[in-house]
Amino acid sequence: MRIENLRGLHPPHTLYTPPRMNFIFISPQFPHTYWQFCNRLKQNGVNVLGIADVSYDELEPQLKETLTEYYRVDTLEDYDQVFRAVAFLSYKYGKIDWIESNNEYWLEQDARLRTDFNITTGVQSDRIAFIKEKSEMKKIYIEASIPTARQIQCSKGHDAAEIFADEVGYPLIGKPDVGVGAGGTHKIHDEYELNEFFSTVPDVNNYVIEEFITGDICSYDAIIDSAGNPLFESMTVWPPSIMDIVNKQLDLSYYVAKEIPEPLQVIGRKTVKAFGVKSRFVHLEFFRLNKDKGALGGVGDFVALEVNMRPAGGYTPDMINYAHSTDVYKIWADMVAYDKSHLATALNHNTHNALSRAWADEYYCVFASRRDIYNYVHTHEEILERYGADLVQCERMPAIFHAAMGQQMYTVRLKTEEEKNEFIEFVHAKNE
């Protein structure tokens, strides 16, 4: 373990007055675009302190310029090392006001650190189960009368699962009670597969089984202030089955919509209140039904899937910026520093509804990726030639994203739904 100090931020022989707020950002180098969260904090006069387990030399140059100090631990998995890092930074810089990673994997550790250091600006350990465990999320949805798929915990046993299957019908979805994305998810079509699921899945008692819901996955992506009110709202539309994309190695496409429909806005805000969300960037997932589900809802209705108390993964925050001609990194940093955002207020100017989408510079921001295992009709060069003027991102994906997102990504900003659909078809067209 060693401390790596960022030098050269302040000219020599000048008086440096410490900022009024100390913010520890856990793992600020991943994804690599997260340096922008730190940068906007610094712009707001916040003292940004980083903790991670990569060498200082591996940090993005923009991140190095933003951090006042960087403390490297051998591994973020070792809580004692991270605890000592926070203790050192607290001793050197004074009271720590915020600890955050904006990363699903570290949410539980973030909460534990806040609890141990009495930092009250985020979720504490006694509330983390409600945002990490799907079975606990389900209780909040039910209490708040938010439509959600029926579920049973596998710890109740095989017989209880059979009774549940008789009640809701096949197919079913089995997934880890605590998990990120579609990892470990199983689609169960009949009694034989249910028996196989219980006999072959490791740690099956830590799984839940839900009734199968069909439809697009629409996320309510929002930045919430300390009173639980949204400063900014957006909708991202994902494919119906991320599980199939991962398990069957299918091509991926998704997009940030130009507008957020009022029903999603309503159920998103209701979910924020139900979970007591304050001072966070959230990514709340809902099914938009494409089949009637009786008491659960009709075609087009939204049904709760799960809550994620962090920004949408990967490059989605950048896509939100491109879609809405805004800067969610800035809005989030304004929420941290001021509990409001003048940028959000200026953009959300519609007099009837301050948070509706009625701006001139709005687009569909569309992501489409490819896998190296396939032979596509159109070459990389042809994509660049046709969509170069609309292209906002084009790069090889980090290895950690390959299973879910493929190897090569293209992201464009387009005006119409027809253009959106044509782009996806052009990128994904394959030779037989």
Side-chain angles (χ1 to χ4, degrees), residues 246-314:
V246 173
N247 294 341
K248 299 178 182 179
Q249 294 291 278
L250 305 178
D251 288 326
L252 171 66
S253 66
Y254 69 98
Y255 64 93
V256 177
K258 295 175 69 171
E259 299 178 349
I260 179 169
E262 185 176 359
L264 180 62
Q265 190 178 58
V266 170
I267 197 171
R269 293 182 183 185
K270 186 175 182 179
T271 303
V272 164
K273 294 297 184 181
F275 280 83
V277 180
K278 296 179 181 179
S279 304
R280 295 200 67 78
F281 204 140
V282 298
H283 171 68
L284 312 182
E285 296 179 358
F286 299 87
F287 286 109
R288 182 166 54 188
L289 298 178
N290 59 11
K291 292 183 179 179
D292 183 79
K293 289 292 290 185
L296 198 58
V299 175
D301 288 341
F302 290 95
V303 173
L305 174 55
E306 63 182 60
V307 299
N308 298 280
M309 299 302 177
R310 42 78 179 172

Side-chain angles (χ1 to χ4, degrees), residues 78-90:
D78 186 339
Y79 184 77
D80 288 342
Q81 287 192 41
V82 181
F83 180 93
R84 288 196 294 271
V86 175
F88 172 83
L89 295 172
S90 179

Side-chain angles (χ1 to χ4, degrees), residues 168-181:
V168 304
Y170 290 100
L172 304 169
I173 295 294
K175 51 190 176 181
D177 199 3
V178 177
V180 181

Side-chain angles (χ1 to χ4, degrees), residues 6 9 28 38 48-50 59 63-70:
L6 191 67
L9 283 179
C38 299
V48 189
L49 310 166
L59 301 182
L63 181 57
K64 292 179 181 178
E65 294 171 2
T66 294
L67 299 177
T68 300
E69 187 153 334
Y70 175 64

Side-chain angles (χ1 to χ4, degrees), residues 50-335:
I51 300 175
D53 53 10
V54 300
S55 72
Y56 175 75
D57 291 338
E58 292 180 66
L59 301 182
E60 296 274 348
Q62 302 97 320
L63 181 57
K64 292 179 181 178
E65 294 171 2
T66 294
L67 299 177
T68 300
E69 187 153 334
Y70 175 64
Y71 192 117
R72 185 184 69 82
V73 296
D74 295 329
T75 171
L76 287 172
E77 301 283 356
D78 186 339
Y79 184 77
D80 288 342
Q81 287 192 41
V82 181
F83 180 93
R84 288 196 294 271
V86 175
F88 172 83
L89 295 172
S90 179
Y91 171 78
K92 184 171 182 179
Y93 293 96
K95 184 182 184 305
I96 303 301
D97 300 285
W98 284 73
I99 290 180
E100 187 59 77
S101 66
N102 278 342
N103 189 310
E104 181 76 28
Y105 190 81
W106 302 116
L107 290 185
E108 189 168 359
Q109 181 172 267
D110 294 347
R112 184 178 176 186
L113 289 167
R114 292 189 202 102
T115 301
D116 288 348
F117 285 90
N118 193 29
I119 298 167
T120 60
T121 49
V123 177
Q124 306 291 299
S125 291
D126 63 348
R127 293 289 298 172
I128 195 67
F130 292 102
I131 64 174
K132 289 290 290 182
E133 298 176 17
K134 296 176 179 65
S135 56
E136 293 297 321
M137 293 178 198
K138 197 69 64 174
K139 296 175 184 178
I140 302 295
Y141 290 136
I142 293 170
E143 290 174 2
S145 299
I146 296 170
T148 185
R150 288 168 288 183
Q151 180 195 91
I152 186 172
Q153 291 173 269
C154 292
S155 58
K156 294 183 181 295
H158 180 272
D159 290 346
E162 284 190 327
I163 294 172
F164 177 77
D166 290 339
E167 179 183 348
V168 304
Y170 290 100
L172 304 169
I173 295 294
K175 51 190 176 181
D177 199 3
V178 177
V180 181
T185 302
H186 301 260
K187 190 172 183 180
I188 302 166
H189 296 88
D190 51 37
E191 185 176 355
Y192 172 81
E193 290 187 2
L194 180 65
N195 295 336
E196 187 176 40
F197 173 80
F198 269 89
S199 62
T200 62
V201 172
D203 300 320
V204 71
N205 285 340
N206 294 323
Y207 274 65
V208 297
I209 291 176
E210 292 188 352
E211 65 178 315
F212 182 68
I213 304 292
T214 60
D216 289 329
I217 298 174
C218 299
S219 63
Y220 172 83
D221 300 295
I223 299 170
I224 308 299
D225 67 15
S226 65
N229 298 314
L231 298 175
F232 176 87
E233 297 169 300
S234 178
M235 177 177 79
T236 305
V237 180
W238 308 81
S241 179
I242 298 294
M243 176 184 66
D244 285 345
I245 288 171
V246 173
N247 294 341
K248 299 178 182 179
Q249 294 291 278
L250 305 178
D251 288 326
L252 171 66
S253 66
Y254 69 98
Y255 64 93
V256 177
K258 295 175 69 171
E259 299 178 349
I260 179 169
E262 185 176 359
L264 180 62
Q265 190 178 58
V266 170
I267 197 171
R269 293 182 183 185
K270 186 175 182 179
T271 303
V272 164
K273 294 297 184 181
F275 280 83
V277 180
K278 296 179 181 179
S279 304
R280 295 200 67 78
F281 204 140
V282 298
H283 171 68
L284 312 182
E285 296 179 358
F286 299 87
F287 286 109
R288 182 166 54 188
L289 298 178
N290 59 11
K291 292 183 179 179
D292 183 79
K293 289 292 290 185
L296 198 58
V299 175
D301 288 341
F302 290 95
V303 173
L305 174 55
E306 63 182 60
V307 299
N308 298 280
M309 299 302 177
R310 42 78 179 172
Y315 303 126
T316 309
D318 302 277
M319 291 174 60
I320 293 172
N321 285 343
Y322 290 125
H324 300 306
S325 303
T326 188
D327 185 349
V328 293
Y329 300 105
K330 171 64 174 171
I331 297 171
W332 175 85
D334 287 351
M335 176 274 294

